[in-house]
Amino acid sequence: MIDCNPALKDRFEALIARLAHSPLYKEKLASIDRNRLELNQLHSLPLTTKEELRNAGTYGSLAVNRRQISQYHESTGTTGIPSASWFTQADLRTGGQQVMECDMQLNAEDSVLIRFPYALALPAFLMQEAARGVGAEVVPASGRTVVTPYPRVLDLMKRLDVTILAGLPREMELLAEAARLLGLVDFPSLRAICVAGELMSARRKRHIEKLWGVPVYNLYGSTETANIAVMCEHGEMHVAQQDFIVEALSEDGSHSVDPGERGFAAITTLSHQGSPLLRYFNEDIISIDASSNCGCGRLTNKLTHFGRGMDRIRIGDKVLDAFDIQEAVYSLSPVPDAWKVFERENGLHVLLDSHHWNRWNIEDIRSILGKMLQVPVTVGIVHDSMLLNRNALMDNTPSIKPVYIQKRIRGNDQHESKSE
């Protein structure tokens, strides 16, 4: 149910006015009388698909004069043609404010090392905007570049007394493994970690907190939308409802699912100026529920992210999302340093790597994973660089985007011999 309060109605009306300047929505909403459009009619409006955004091209979603644009961003394009996103200076400030709502309590005394890639992706720039908004110091230590390899980042953290580390969850794990290899065990100034850009289940969160000894806060968003939800001190993600309407829909997008049930996200950006979106069906699987029982006291809806629709696996009657697989893998003791799951016709094959591999028993692991996932599981333990090249952590080899789940090609149950 959408909260149709007066402020939200005004923001929705302003959004509809902005969409009139977007080539994509001029055509998409041509048959709709926008002058009579009200917030309670949102569910009747058409979805915006990823394919439509890609097909609209670079300028299709641009809704302001280009002279008003401060930054241009693109999605990674790993699942198809990249989609374009345009940000005014006001959009960037809003994005920074969204990040500041996270309960890591960013303040002027902080030194924030940003490990997100400083490229066409958005998180690094929103984190930087948030830090600037409170007067915090920024250390731009971009990931996926030869300029800041893992040993150098760890050295910067020590020398500069970094208090907040921000980046992809996988980067937090790889930095911890690099620190172990270098014999670094103490980062006394570090007080919090902020992650975004990848799925992070509850067990993965606890694992990263154990690696670093500090609380971990998660952000949920995308390059197309900026940051949609932030984590409170109780580990719940809360929607920035002043800036977004978030729906959880059936797989075909035809209707809403019940509160708390898994559905496919549709995001309406109420405040975005540069490239506003209406009911953007981003193919993420989420649930939305009221936050009346959250200890933080926030009244905004809670959001849980379960992964991308393309990673959903169906084996018989069992449906597994990336969240389910991640929770199972991170329940192992020891937690693997690296892992990858291969879909098979009748089950899953799981490859694992750990510097504590000799503490594992394959049959125990198979039993644990099979019980949690309720599908047949086979397990392989690797000791070479198939999943994690530890030598590369010590030199200037830039990291690449990890692939945790490999769907099978129908009719072919052979898994790849090397990690992607």
Side-chain angles (χ1 to χ4, degrees), residues 38 287 398:
E38 296 184 359
S287 67

Side-chain angles (χ1 to χ4, degrees), residues 253-271:
S254 61
H255 61 274
S256 297
V257 301
D258 291 336
E261 288 191 4
R262 298 186 190 190
F264 284 74
I267 312 297
T268 295
T269 60
L270 292 171
S271 58

